[in-house]
Amino acid sequence: MTASSFADLHNDLIDHITGLPRYAAALVEIPHLARQFGGDRTLGVMVIAAAADPGLYRLTPEAGHRLRADLTGQLKGLLRPADRLYSVSHWEWLAVLPDLPSSAPLQLAMLKVDGHFIDPLPTIQGRLAVRIVCGGAVWPDDGEDALHLIQSARIARLMAEREGHGHALYARAMERADADQQNLHSELQATLAGAPGLSLHLQPQIDLASGACIGCEALLRWQRSNGDQVPPPHTLAAIERLGQRGAFTRWLLQQAAQIQHRLAAAGIGISLSINVSAHDLLDPELPDLIAQSLATWEIAPERLLLELTETLMVEETPQVVDVLQRLRRQGLRLAIDDFGTGYAGMSYLQRLPVQEVKIDQCFVRQAEESKKDREIIAAIVRLARRLKMDVLAEGVETAGMAGVVAELGCKRAQGYLFARPMPVDDFIAWWRDHQGHPVLWSGRGARKRGRPRKPRPA
Ligand code: C2E
Ligand code: CA
Ligand code: CA
């Protein structure tokens, strides 16, 4: 090798901004370090990288170089003298920790790095919050050669970032879980594009005085090709991860309008509630999308009720209020779901154009035993009355619960006592069965089946 080619090779192995050896050097040194200590000692590798962030990409090259050098200095300070630090790419480092008795010191080192970068770092363009995420892997269990070992640490880091953690140690299950998630995602994508699997089930909402069904809530169901039912929150989280929220909202609105059309054709003139997520309300096109779906299926807007969660209301912004007001002007009805669990309270209820409050299941479930929960329900009922809103109790499973909520002034209820969510055809059959035989519950204020009390005017 000539003197100049040796210098070139050396240059290639050193990163000049940080002064650290590069990735290629780590590939050469790891097997050497692993062999050197051998016996029952092990070696750990830690991949350390900044989570993708627009603020990092917007740094000028000069500010970026300074920040990299600064982060490198801090990382060096967190490692033992025997540990080796390498620069892998712009915002990624690799630490090799030789001569370890077990994986525990590697875990500790990751915890230390994770805990260190909490405060925003000063840059020449101002302070920047850099989120550092680490992944660790141990030789030889997680990889017998350097490349495989580093890959394992990178997988662990990726999983930590995805799950919102600061660090993770590699486990084989991470790759299996990932393969499962890939399958889930591709199946969901196909379903959103029209393949069968996704549907809306309907759960009746009952007027407690008359026993009549006055509405129904549409709840998402996804049955996978292997027959598994995916819980709605998991399906919704996967939709978010895929960036398919817009496609899902369009699907939901079309389905809802189509269901209302089928109900009307069956002679069922009740309102249909659908759940909308926080992000949907940030979309200024939502009112137009809804108007289009309703027009296509010739549905009167007051037949659709949008359920919004209370926590969402806390993040109320002028855009959200504008979207809500436009929806209201279009004639749609709005309900606050899971009321009592968030922090919204009265002032929000007063400001928002809402017509219904749904008391969360957690208060209803305990209502018979817990005086405190009964007081909460009574307070919500009083508040809603003053604001001229309807109140519905969710999750009513027993006649006892129905009796208590009715006594506390709730006029409407929904829950397994009356019916579970069911496919649209089953709902139509259920409705026909109950027409003329309102859903009666026994308990306090109970009436006998077949002798319904005269419905009170709403
Ligand atoms: P949620 O809107 O509060 O819906 C009520 C949940 O309570 C439903 O669970 C329903 O099946 C269940 N439920 C009804 N009656 C009873 C009862 O008597 N006892 C008990 N223990 N549970 C009862 P589900 O269908 O699993 O939905 C869970 C959540 O997923 C919903 O809570 C809602 O937040 C969300 N979700 C469902 N469908 C959609 C959708 O189309 N869009 C959006 N954004 N969210 C949805
Ligand atoms: Ca709901
Ligand atoms: Ca709810």
Side-chain angles (χ1 to χ4, degrees), residues 217 219 275 307-309 336-339 341 358-361 392 394-395 414:
E217 178 176 4
L219 292 156
N275 293 281
E307 295 192 0
L308 327 161
T309 55
I336 299 219
D337 206 352
D338 309 331
F339 194 79
T341 55
K358 294 187 82 177
I359 301 181
D360 193 70
Q361 320 197 353
L392 182 145
E394 283 193 297
Q414 178 182 344

Side-chain angles (χ1 to χ4, degrees), residues 203 217 219-221 232 236 248 252 275 277 337-338 361 394-397 415-416 421:
Q203 187 179 31
E217 178 176 4
L219 292 156
L220 181 64
R221 293 294 176 264
L236 294 161
F248 172 70
L252 177 70
N275 293 281
S277 67
D337 206 352
D338 309 331
Q361 320 197 353
E394 283 193 297
V396 172
E397 291 186 357
Y416 295 167

Side-chain angles (χ1 to χ4, degrees), residues 199-386:
S199 64
L200 292 175
H201 280 198
L202 303 182
Q203 187 179 31
Q205 298 174 329
I206 304 296
D207 175 75
L208 284 169
S210 66
C213 172
I214 37 126
C216 58
E217 178 176 4
L219 292 156
L220 181 64
R221 293 294 176 264
W222 180 24
Q223 181 165 31
R224 295 190 62 185
S225 50
N226 63 5
D228 286 355
Q229 286 282 354
V230 185
H234 292 191
T235 309
L236 294 161
I239 288 169
E240 286 287 331
R241 281 198 299 273
L242 278 174
Q244 292 288 317
R245 197 190 328 115
F248 172 70
T249 304
R250 283 191 295 280
W251 176 88
L252 177 70
L253 295 174
Q254 280 300 325
Q255 290 292 315
Q258 213 173 327
I259 288 174
Q260 261 303 15
H261 188 79
R262 279 170 70 188
L263 294 181
I268 307 175
I270 56 174
S271 86
L272 173 72
S273 302
I274 59 170
N275 293 281
V276 293
S277 67
H279 291 284
D280 291 329
L281 290 190
L282 288 170
D283 178 1
E285 286 178 12
L286 183 76
D288 296 338
L289 275 175
I290 294 182
Q292 269 166 23
S293 309
L294 293 176
T296 308
W297 293 95
E298 299 176 329
I299 309 296
E302 58 277 10
R303 283 281 158 87
L304 194 64
L305 195 147
L306 303 189
E307 295 192 0
L308 327 161
T309 55
E310 188 194 4
T311 31
L312 155 74
M313 295 303 126
V314 177
E315 290 150 29
E316 167 201 340
T317 63
Q319 292 99 300
V320 169
V321 175
D322 177 59
V323 166
L324 290 178
Q325 272 160 354
R326 278 167 57 205
L327 289 168
R328 197 50 211 134
R329 281 199 296 274
Q330 275 172 224
L332 271 98
R333 295 173 61 235
L334 305 171
I336 299 219
D337 206 352
D338 309 331
F339 194 79
T341 55
Y343 310 96
M346 180 152 164
S347 58
Y348 283 91
L349 274 192
Q350 268 174 326
R351 274 211 303 282
L352 296 171
V354 168
Q355 288 72 55
E356 184 179 281
V357 170
K358 294 187 82 177
I359 301 181
D360 193 70
Q361 320 197 353
C362 66
F363 305 114
V364 176
R365 203 174 301 135
Q366 306 288 337
E368 282 172 279
E369 300 85 44
S370 157
K371 184 162 179 271
K372 191 165 153 251
D373 286 343
R374 284 198 299 277
E375 280 168 4
I376 293 174
I377 296 175
I380 297 175
V381 169
R382 273 198 303 278
L383 172 61
R385 254 191 214 149
R386 200 155 5 120

Side-chain angles (χ1 to χ4, degrees), residues 42-45 100 102-103 106 136-143 149 169-170:
T42 186
L43 169 144
V45 299
L100 305 182
S102 68
S103 63
L106 174 64
V138 176
W139 177 85
D141 291 358
D142 303 335
L149 190 62
L169 191 63
Y170 175 79

